[in-house]
Amino acid sequence: MTPEFRIEVEALAGALDLIDYFGILKLPRTAELAEIKAAYYRESRAYHPDRFAAVPDPELRAAVGKIYRRINEAYTVLRDEQRRRKYAADVSGPDRAAKLRFTEAEESQLKDEQKRKLEEQFGQTPNGRKLYATALQEMAAGRWDAAGRALKTALMYEPGNPRFQEQLAVVEQQKPRSDPFRIK
Amino acid sequence: MSDSIAVGIDLGTSYSCVAATRDGTPQIILNEWGERTHASVVSFLDDGTVLVGNDAKKNIITHAERTVYSAKRLIGRFFFSDEVKKAQSVMPYRIVEGPNNSVRVQVGEQVLAVPEISALVLKEMKAIAETALGRPVTQAVVTCPAYFNDNQRQATKDAGRIAGLEVLRIINEPTAAALAYGFGKDVSQKLCVYDLGGGTFDVSILEIGKDVFEVLSTAGDTYLGGDDFDDRIMTWLADAFLQEHGLDLRQNKFCLQMLKEASERAKIEVGREGSARIHVPGICQSPEGEVLDLTRALDAETFNRMVMDLVQRTFKVCDEALQSARLTAGDIDAVILVGGPTRLPVIRSSVRHYFQKEPMAGIDPDEVVALGASIQAAALLDEGAAAAGQASYLLDVTPLSLRVGTVGGFAEKILEKNTPIPIERSKTFTTSRDGQDRVRIRVYQGESNRAEGCELLGEFEFAGFRIGLRGEVQIQVTFEIDSNGIVNVSAQDLESGQRTSTTISLSSGLSEAELRSAIDKNAGLELASHGVAAA
């Protein structure tokens, strides 16, 4: 190991908490999966602890270990598309300094967000979801009456669900204005 | 670096194997009798010496109570676990309870911890290497199933220490096999290692990018192995014998051992020849004093039908591994078979069918793991390998999610399975009472969100932080999984940054004092020479 390398490793190990994951893997924030993997392999070749296992300098080994654990952490977050998107947004925002590491707080935020999206899309109650699914099927089959009934019942379980209302409007438009068989 | 040498040891459930890499070439080390693999059997002889290896295996029948085998099935387990209960009913040696729900083996007056048994196998491997290499060997890389949890890994590492070996690294068996396959080949491909051993089954999916071996996912079943195939033949034989003679061979531990041996032989024969003749003269005596023989013929079709559900179970595990890696069977470029049972035609043809691909030829399923371990051992000693461009990098993962116990018997996930290691994760805990001076957490591994569905690694107690009102003191606990897959937990007071003291309890492992006395005991035990009939 050259003395320059030693200095470099120690500087990096000391500054880890100031660098974001993209910086750790030396990547632009727009990087895609293939690039991320290539960068992970490149940094692994440089900082894998096995490279330094035989180096008789415990401080250097500890510094390398610290760097490599962070490389793995960065890879774990960035290789997952949803985590990567959230992380990129977090470190581009005003709270950047507090968001450099993807912790349990961010993890649960991400989970909540996914849950909310799912709920918006498919309803918040089991009955609402079931009826909404039925309505979509009926719509696909062109049975507008049945679809309308399912959506109206779904709205009884979840009054004001924008998604349900939107679909109901579509159904109402499709329905024939007046039923020719009904006696007025 | 010719002045130091480290060996690679495959510490198997049924057989172990030792290899060394010299001048860049990994080679199996043979014992004085030219044997390449050695039964993981330890027989305590009457003269106080211990016989280990293929000769010791012969003693399973004659010295059943003093001969310990399949210790790997027990290593790092709690006494109350199902595996231990099952072992108690079939093993001829005595399995007793030790402190903290640990498992001990009693041989005569001696009570040994399971790592002490494994240490004797390792001691034999060390002796074989020393004889062949003509020099002392003190460092080794030891392999373990990829699906081993922290308790089992720690116990394996302890075994090495007890045997007088510095364990440079615990590496996963499938990863070692992949390394032996891809080392120096400069290939880029996706690889599946199908590792069916004597007692465990592992699948790892790897991506090899020249010198980088990235484990994408791993899955396994630590209750599935070649022994279970033997069991099926045993049941088949014993049921027929019971019907014919009205005697249950499984009731007598002596008969049971003869039955087990015959079943294992029949399995190997049916795999190699397509059919097997089972003949055990004088397996037992009828109440009338008549000596009875066990005679039966087993054909491949009957055998395949007997084990088909076991074979199917391995592919459920393959499905899981592929799914975690977000791949399908068609994405795999090469399949490597590891472990003795993969010689069976029924396994080979099922693997071919599942992956729509011929498994790699020219790889010895009994030796490839030890070869890979020896490559890693040499690499860990060589400071200049990276500069010379000869290094290879193993990027492995943790096989199980790491969790902490929460109120109501739940276990909250800290690190997900298949996360690359080494890695660390922190979590902040606060005190729940005024003036609280210690915080206790329980750490688990497993995929259930209920604590009872996971394996307990231990209870950690932190003390020595500031004392304040409840919720005021914040303790940051850092969970680290090192390159061996072993979990380390430390804590610090978030405000003062001061590290707190940590004590571990409820752990199945050996204490430092127990370890020291085990090291002394092991050093005092002499290995018996082979070829001498047990007295």
Side-chain angles (χ1 to χ4, degrees):
Chain A
M1 291 304 128
T2 59
E4 292 82 13
F5 182 78
R6 215 204 124 108
I7 292 165
E8 194 188 311
V9 165
E10 276 174 359
L12 179 55
L16 276 182
D17 286 337
L18 306 171
I19 310 172
D20 68 32
Y21 294 156
F22 294 102
I24 299 274
L25 292 179
K26 305 191 176 75
L27 282 168
R29 267 176 221 175
T30 51
E32 297 283 326
L33 188 61
E35 264 175 281
I36 290 164
K37 185 164 270 213
Y40 177 53
Y41 284 14
R42 185 188 64 227
E43 296 309 310
S44 291
R45 288 186 181 102
Y47 293 108
H48 197 297
D50 287 1
R51 259 191 84 161
F52 307 93
V55 175
D57 178 352
E59 276 168 38
L60 180 72
R61 288 206 307 270
V64 167
K66 203 173 154 197
I67 294 170
Y68 195 65
R69 286 198 294 276
R70 194 61 67 90
I71 289 171
N72 270 336
E73 185 178 317
Y75 178 59
T76 309
V77 172
L78 297 188
R79 71 175 171 178
D80 182 276
E81 209 183 310
Q82 278 163 336
R83 291 198 182 102
R84 178 167 79 236
R85 215 179 296 138
K86 170 156 175 58
Y87 181 77
D90 281 350
V91 293
S92 306
D95 282 342
R96 175 183 159 80
K99 298 279 189 183
L100 290 175
R101 291 183 82 174
F102 199 84
T103 62
E104 45 178 333
E106 281 76 34
E107 196 75 60
S108 61
Q109 273 173 18
L110 186 65
K111 249 186 214 148
D112 289 348
E113 206 173 298
Q114 280 168 349
K115 201 174 149 203
R116 211 185 56 236
K117 265 195 197 141
L118 215 67
E119 280 178 352
E120 269 174 17
Q121 220 166 350
F122 303 110
Q124 293 155 350
T125 60
N127 281 330
R129 275 198 291 273
K130 212 157 89 190
L131 286 158
Y132 183 59
T134 314
L136 291 181
Q137 268 174 18
E138 300 288 6
M139 282 169 74
R143 289 188 291 268
W144 304 108
D145 272 343
R149 275 197 302 276
L151 284 169
K152 277 178 193 154
T153 324
L155 278 164
M156 281 164 59
Y157 286 102
E158 292 178 36
N161 182 314
R163 199 80 188 179
F164 294 178
Q165 282 170 339
E166 203 176 285
Q167 293 298 320
L168 186 61
V170 174
V171 169
E172 296 292 345
Q173 269 182 6
Q174 292 292 332
K175 262 208 269 189
R177 287 274 160 221
S178 62
D179 196 336
F181 295 104
R182 185 172 283 177
I183 300 161
K184 288 191 177 140
Chain B
M1 297 290 280
S2 60
D3 57 321
S4 59
I5 192 155
V7 294
I9 300 175
D10 173 7
L11 180 63
T13 309
S14 317
Y15 289 92
S16 295
C17 185
V18 55
T21 293
R22 278 176 292 174
D23 307 322
T25 316
Q27 272 181 324
I28 298 296
I29 302 174
L30 282 61
N31 71 2
E32 291 171 85
W33 286 267
E35 292 166 324
R36 304 172 72 85
T37 57
H38 320 280
S40 306
V41 180
V42 178
S43 185
F44 293 82
L45 306 184
D46 297 335
D47 66 357
T49 60
V50 277
L51 185 61
V52 181
N54 300 333
D55 277 6
K57 196 173 179 188
K58 296 171 190 154
N59 282 4
I60 291 179
I61 291 178
T62 55
H63 288 64
E65 278 162 16
R66 304 183 63 85
T67 305
V68 184
Y69 63 92
S70 292
K72 192 173 170 181
R73 289 202 156 209
L74 306 174
I75 203 163
R77 299 214 193 249
F78 287 104
F79 188 73
F80 50 75
S81 67
D82 290 343
E83 182 71 6
V84 173
K85 284 202 188 98
K86 186 186 161 207
Q88 269 184 312
S89 65
V90 298
M91 300 301 192
Y93 54 86
R94 282 191 67 195
I95 298 166
V96 296
E97 186 172 356
N100 291 328
N101 296 311
S102 66
V103 180
R104 296 283 191 274
V105 172
Q106 185 165 7
V107 181
E109 295 294 293
Q110 272 192 83
V111 177
L112 297 108
V114 183
E116 291 185 85
I117 304 285
S118 299
L120 290 165
V121 177
L122 290 175
K123 188 178 167 127
E124 173 82 7
M125 298 304 115
K126 181 175 185 271
I128 290 169
E130 286 176 340
T131 307
L133 302 171
R135 56 193 295 182
V137 172
T138 56
Q139 294 174 309
V141 167
V142 180
T143 64
C144 78
Y147 215 55
F148 257 18
N149 64 34
D150 172 76
N151 291 336
Q152 293 166 304
R153 285 167 197 271
Q154 188 63 56
T156 305
K157 203 174 172 203
D158 288 348
R161 221 182 120 192
I162 296 169
L165 285 168
E166 182 197 340
V167 179
L168 297 174
R169 179 71 51 81
I170 301 281
I171 66 171
N172 294 327
E173 288 158 10
T175 313
L179 179 60
Y181 160 79
F183 179 65
K185 270 212 185 81
D186 211 26
V187 292
S188 291
Q189 52 183 214
K190 293 195 175 71
L191 188 72
C192 173
V193 183
Y194 179 103
D195 180 356
L196 184 61
T200 54
F201 176 66
D202 274 336
V203 175
S204 287
I205 311 287
L206 289 102
E207 183 167 350
I208 306 181
K210 293 180 177 163
D211 52 346
V212 177
F213 294 70
E214 182 193 5
V215 180
L216 299 176
S217 69
T218 191
D221 187 338
T222 46
Y223 299 95
L224 177 62
D227 291 355
D228 298 294
F229 288 62
D230 300 351
D231 281 353
R232 291 295 162 86
I233 302 180
M234 276 169 72
T235 309
W236 178 71
L237 286 172
D239 285 350
F241 196 87
L242 181 65
Q243 220 161 36
E244 195 179 336
H245 301 284
L247 292 169
D248 193 346
L249 294 171
R250 287 161 292 201
Q251 295 302 318
N252 178 313
K253 280 196 173 174
F254 180 76
C255 295
L256 188 73
Q257 284 315 308
M258 299 237 278
L259 191 63
K260 182 168 169 49
E261 205 195 53
S263 304
E264 191 189 338
R265 265 206 313 266
K267 175 188 71 181
I268 293 167
E269 204 180 313
V270 82
R272 205 163 38 205
E273 318 286 348
S275 68
R277 284 210 60 78
I278 299 144
H279 181 63
V280 188
I283 193 163
C284 75
Q285 239 179 5
S286 72
E288 292 78 39
E290 188 192 351
V291 177
L292 299 171
D293 294 355
L294 173 72
T295 311
R296 252 197 126 178
L298 175 64
D299 61 55
E301 203 187 317
T302 314
F303 173 71
N304 292 353
R305 219 173 321 118
M306 267 183 230
V307 299
M308 201 31 92
D309 65 304
L310 297 175
V311 177
Q312 290 307 331
R313 253 169 75 190
T314 66
F315 293 109
K316 282 232 172 66
V317 180
C318 290
D319 286 344
E320 193 191 317
L322 283 168
Q323 203 188 355
S324 295
R326 295 177 188 177
L327 295 174
T328 63
D331 296 324
I332 301 297
D333 300 307
V335 182
I336 295 180
L337 298 180
V338 182
T342 62
R343 291 182 195 278
L344 291 170
V346 60
I347 302 277
R348 291 195 163 254
S349 65
S350 306
V351 166
R352 195 181 306 125
H353 186 254
Y354 181 87
F355 289 101
Q356 293 292 310
K357 193 164 272 104
E358 202 64 42
M360 293 307 287
I363 294 169
D364 189 307
D366 296 321
E367 298 177 359
V368 65
V369 169
L371 292 175
S374 84
I375 294 169
Q376 180 68 0
L380 289 176
L381 285 190
D382 189 353
E383 207 184 320
Q390 287 171 336
S392 42
Y393 304 102
L394 300 184
L395 315 182
D396 221 321
V397 299
T398 176
L400 297 155
S401 300
L402 188 72
R403 293 168 185 273
V404 290
T406 56
V407 283
F410 288 94
E412 185 192 324
K413 202 183 280 177
I414 299 287
L415 277 164
E416 198 149 0
K417 68 172 177 179
N418 293 321
T419 299
I421 52 170
I423 197 143
E424 65 189 18
R425 195 73 190 277
S426 299
K427 187 174 167 61
T428 308
F429 292 84
T430 52
T431 50
S432 57
R433 282 178 287 114
D434 293 345
Q436 191 174 343
D437 61 349
R438 51 199 65 219
V439 166
R440 236 182 252 157
I441 58 164
R442 284 189 180 192
V443 180
Y444 297 87
Q445 255 178 336
E447 302 320 313
S448 164
N449 61 6
R450 302 285 311 176
E452 66 209 15
C454 297
E455 188 81 8
L456 175 68
L457 303 187
E459 186 176 79
F460 295 81
E461 187 179 278
F462 308 108
F465 46 81
R466 286 175 309 124
I467 294 176
L469 298 173
R470 78 164 168 223
E472 203 181 65
V473 185
Q474 292 195 313
I475 299 127
Q476 188 184 47
V477 180
T478 303
F479 303 86
E480 185 205 332
I481 304 183
D482 68 13
S483 298
N484 299 312
I486 290 175
V487 181
N488 302 299
V489 179
S490 61
Q492 61 177 359
D493 186 327
L494 205 53
E495 194 176 311
S496 67
Q498 198 197 335
R499 289 209 158 257
T500 65
S501 74
T502 307
T503 32
I504 309 166
S505 56
L506 296 182
S507 149
S508 67
L510 295 171
S511 69
E512 189 61 27
E514 285 173 311
L515 259 175
R516 282 186 194 289
S517 89
I519 292 169
D520 292 342
K521 201 155 87 186
N522 180 283
L525 276 172
E526 210 173 309
L527 291 171
S529 61
H530 290 231
V532 187

